[in-house]
Amino acid sequence: MKQPYSFQGIPQSRIATFDVYSVGMQKHHVSAMLEFDVTEIRRKLMELRRAGKKVSFNGWLIKVIGEVMKQHPDAAAYLFSKKKLIIFNDINISILVEKQLGDKKVPIPLVIEKANEKSALAITLEIENAKNLEFSEREIVLTKRPPLYERLYYFFPGIIRRAFWKWMLSHPRYAFKKMGNVAVTSVGMVGRINGWFIHSSVHPVSFGVGSVVKKPLVVNNEIKIREVLNMTVLVDHDVIDGAPMVRFLQTLTGYLENQTELSPEKLL
């Protein structure tokens, strides 16, 4: 008799995802659901690719985020104590790279170090190279060789694994070294979704990048069909208040839409 159900194994690397989500839900993030008109940006990136300069949209976006965070470093600060923040000079951005594991694809973090100092082209190449790297199922972060205790991470019970994440967040210099101070999660690379997703993160600031979809917008008092990027931004209210948070988001909007300072040509 055929069973009315079946079982499917969970990749070991997914265990860290479960733990991050559990710990991240305890942070005091404020969610901002935003839309950005990226029509002109995508057109310029297409022109660059035709000229042989293969800068991906995500590579350019991470570069822009790095530059914006450099102007608003307090938004990427960690709590050092109840009375003090620690603000790092560099912007290290953690992103997820899909890796083939057997017959499945699993997301593995990659830290783009000093993203504000690298070009969009260099970031694009770094992501592409990471996709081709071989990795162990027990690795927590790509390109960072895990010490013995991290390789044993997946064998510990859940309460100990989550305690490790809490300990790391209480030691921000170690947390910054391992996972940076900014996170970018992009489901737009996988498929097209006309909407937003509310993710979870243990980082001070995190960007949930959705799909680029065509929508009618008012441009110069005319309704036009434009390419719009949906994005959710999580900002830790423990490290930044409402007013500087709004200024940070205004800078992000201006850089993504106006391109006055960070046009694709200037970021190569």
Side-chain angles (χ1 to χ4, degrees):
M1 180 178 177
K2 186 177 180 180
Q3 294 286 355
Y5 55 83
S6 62
F7 292 101
Q8 179 175 303
I10 298 175
Q12 195 175 56
S13 58
R14 287 280 294 158
I15 293 175
T17 304
F18 301 157
D19 296 334
V20 168
Y21 194 89
S22 177
V23 175
M25 291 296 290
Q26 301 175 31
K27 295 188 71 67
H28 301 151
H29 281 129
V30 175
S31 302
M33 301 172 68
L34 307 173
E35 290 184 340
F36 302 105
D37 183 352
V38 294
T39 307
E40 295 303 316
I41 293 168
R42 284 169 61 84
R43 180 184 62 79
K44 289 185 177 181
L45 288 173
M46 182 63 71
E47 291 175 357
L48 287 175
R49 284 195 287 271
R50 289 171 180 167
K53 299 175 181 178
K54 297 181 180 180
V55 179
S56 70
F57 179 77
N58 281 300
W60 177 81
L61 181 61
I62 290 169
K63 171 59 179 176
V64 171
I65 289 174
E67 291 285 349
V68 171
M69 298 312 306
K70 189 65 177 178
Q71 292 195 29
H72 298 271
D74 49 336
Y78 279 94
L79 276 176
F80 187 79
S81 66
K82 292 183 178 179
K83 296 183 179 181
K84 190 182 296 184
L85 300 175
I86 180 169
I87 300 176
F88 294 95
N89 295 328
D90 296 324
I91 303 300
N92 290 1
I93 300 179
S94 174
I95 68 171
L96 292 177
V97 175
E98 274 201 324
K99 302 291 292 181
Q100 193 71 35
L101 186 62
D103 59 347
K104 298 175 184 174
K105 289 186 176 182
V106 294
I108 304 293
L110 167 70
V111 178
I112 307 292
E113 297 182 349
K114 298 184 179 182
N116 55 296
E117 296 182 6
K118 294 179 179 177
S119 68
L121 180 58
I123 292 173
T124 298
L125 293 174
E126 189 169 341
I127 295 172
E128 290 302 315
N129 290 336
K131 290 179 180 179
N132 297 324
L133 280 178
E134 291 187 5
F135 79 108
S136 165
E137 187 177 359
R138 297 178 186 176
E139 287 186 45
I140 296 178
V141 180
L142 284 171
T143 72
K144 293 182 180 290
R145 182 171 177 80
L148 177 60
Y149 68 88
E150 286 188 12
R151 294 198 296 271
L152 296 175
Y153 169 84
Y154 296 106
F155 296 98
F156 291 129
I159 189 171
I160 295 179
R161 297 196 312 269
R162 290 186 287 274
F164 165 75
W165 284 100
K166 293 177 181 179
W167 175 88
M168 184 166 66
L169 293 174
S170 67
H171 294 75
R173 280 173 289 203
Y174 180 79
F176 175 77
K177 179 181 177 182
K178 299 300 293 185
M179 65 178 194
N181 49 352
V182 179
V184 174
T185 302
S186 180
V187 299
M189 292 190 298
V190 180
R192 180 163 296 188
I193 301 173
N194 188 6
W196 296 261
F197 68 98
I198 306 297
H199 59 295
S200 180
S201 178
V202 293
H203 287 78
V205 59
S206 177
F207 299 81
V209 182
S211 303
V212 176
V213 296
K214 291 185 177 181
K215 295 183 180 181
L217 293 181
V218 177
V219 180
N220 297 326
N221 293 322
E222 295 182 2
I223 297 177
K224 296 184 178 180
I225 302 300
R226 307 288 285 180
E227 293 182 290
V228 176
L229 172 66
N230 295 328
M231 180 187 292
T232 303
V233 183
L234 303 184
V235 185
D236 191 346
H237 210 331
D238 289 343
V239 302
I240 187 171
D241 290 325
M245 187 186 306
V246 170
R247 288 192 287 270
F248 151 60
L249 294 176
Q250 284 178 332
T251 302
L252 177 67
T253 301
Y255 275 26
L256 286 178
E257 294 192 338
N258 299 333
Q259 315 160 58
T260 54
E261 297 290 336
L262 298 177
S263 64
E265 299 92 333
K266 296 179 181 180
L267 295 181
L268 293 177

